[in-house]
């Protein structure tokens, strides 16, 4: 198994462990510690900082701290919503840049037409807003125990949807090499 996959799974596993030990605030605190550890290890391995993980860590740290200080689990429950809406906003602003945020980030791996980058931004924004809406529905409809499991499983599902959207856009907008 790729060691990076283990690092990606570490915060979710820590979240579930913390929830079993002491509830949602414990879960969030352990997930923050695991995320900080994962970021540090990735920095050590790669020599670069994974910015998405760092931004997730900062958001989780702030909301978890508020939750612990105020003894209010709501801050933990809304973290995925706030994170998804913030990411959608960043993507929307990034779509206006030239080259776009996703083109700067993925352009080395994807050779797609300019229109494809617009479609990809729109798809990622829609998926992250869908994720925010799903979390809001889940946190209102599920018990805390059920939401904890949903929270851990929703991240791989979100990644899968983003991967599928990226693959689909690349398929339709790939720049073919001209035959000489």
């Amino acid at each position: 198994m790729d060691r990076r996959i283990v690092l990606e799974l570490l915060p979710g596993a820590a979240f579930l462990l913390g929830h079993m030990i002491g509830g949602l605030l414990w879960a969030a605190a352990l997930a923050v510690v695991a995320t900080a550890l994962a970021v540090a290890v990735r920095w050590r391995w790669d020599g670069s900082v994974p910015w998405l993980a760092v931004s997730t860590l900062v958001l989780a740290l702030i909301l978890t701290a508020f939750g612990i200080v105020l003894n209010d689990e709501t801050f933990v429950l809304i973290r995925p919503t706030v994170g998804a809406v913030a990411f959608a906003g960043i993507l929307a602003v990034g779509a206006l840049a030239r080259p776009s945020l996703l083109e700067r980030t993925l352009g080395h791996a994807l050779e797609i037409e300019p229109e494809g980058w617009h479609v990809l931004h729109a798809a990622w924004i829609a998926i992250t807003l869908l994720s925010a809406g799903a979390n809001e529905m889940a946190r209102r409809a599920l018990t805390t125990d059920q939401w904890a499991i949903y929270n851990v499983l929703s991240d791989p599902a979100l990644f899968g949807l983003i991967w599928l959207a990226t693959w689909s856009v690349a398929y339709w907008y790939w720049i073919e090499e001209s035959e000489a």
Side-chain angles (χ1 to χ4, degrees), residues 90-92 94-95 100-103 116-126:
I90 290 167
L91 286 169
S100 72
L101 176 65
L102 290 180
E103 187 174 359
W117 293 111
H118 299 297
V119 172
L120 190 58
H121 270 277
W124 279 36
I125 291 167

Side-chain angles (χ1 to χ4, degrees), residues 15 18-19 22-32 63-77 144:
F15 186 88
H19 185 65
L24 205 53
L25 293 176
W26 271 92
L30 280 181
V32 166
L63 291 175
T64 301
F66 274 116
I68 291 170
V69 168
L70 299 174
N71 195 28
D72 187 350
E73 293 179 344
T74 304
F75 289 97
V76 175
L77 295 168
T144 303

Side-chain angles (χ1 to χ4, degrees), residues 15-129:
F15 186 88
L16 286 178
L17 178 65
H19 185 65
M20 290 182 338
I21 291 171
L24 205 53
L25 293 176
W26 271 92
L30 280 181
V32 166
V33 170
T35 303
L37 178 65
V39 167
V41 170
R42 283 287 305 272
W43 178 68
R44 177 87 167 119
W45 285 347
D46 300 339
S48 63
V49 177
W51 289 108
L52 183 57
V54 170
S55 63
T56 300
L57 173 62
V58 169
L59 177 65
L61 182 63
I62 291 168
L63 291 175
T64 301
F66 274 116
I68 291 170
V69 168
L70 299 174
N71 195 28
D72 187 350
E73 293 179 344
T74 304
F75 289 97
V76 175
L77 295 168
I78 66 168
R79 188 212 41 87
T81 303
V82 172
V85 170
F87 188 54
I90 290 167
L91 286 169
V93 171
L96 301 174
R98 294 294 168 250
S100 72
L101 176 65
L102 290 180
E103 187 174 359
R104 289 175 203 234
T105 306
L106 301 174
H108 68 283
L110 299 176
E111 295 181 35
I112 59 177
E113 298 169 9
E115 182 183 352
W117 293 111
H118 299 297
V119 172
L120 190 58
H121 270 277
W124 279 36
I125 291 167
I127 290 167
T128 55
L129 291 176

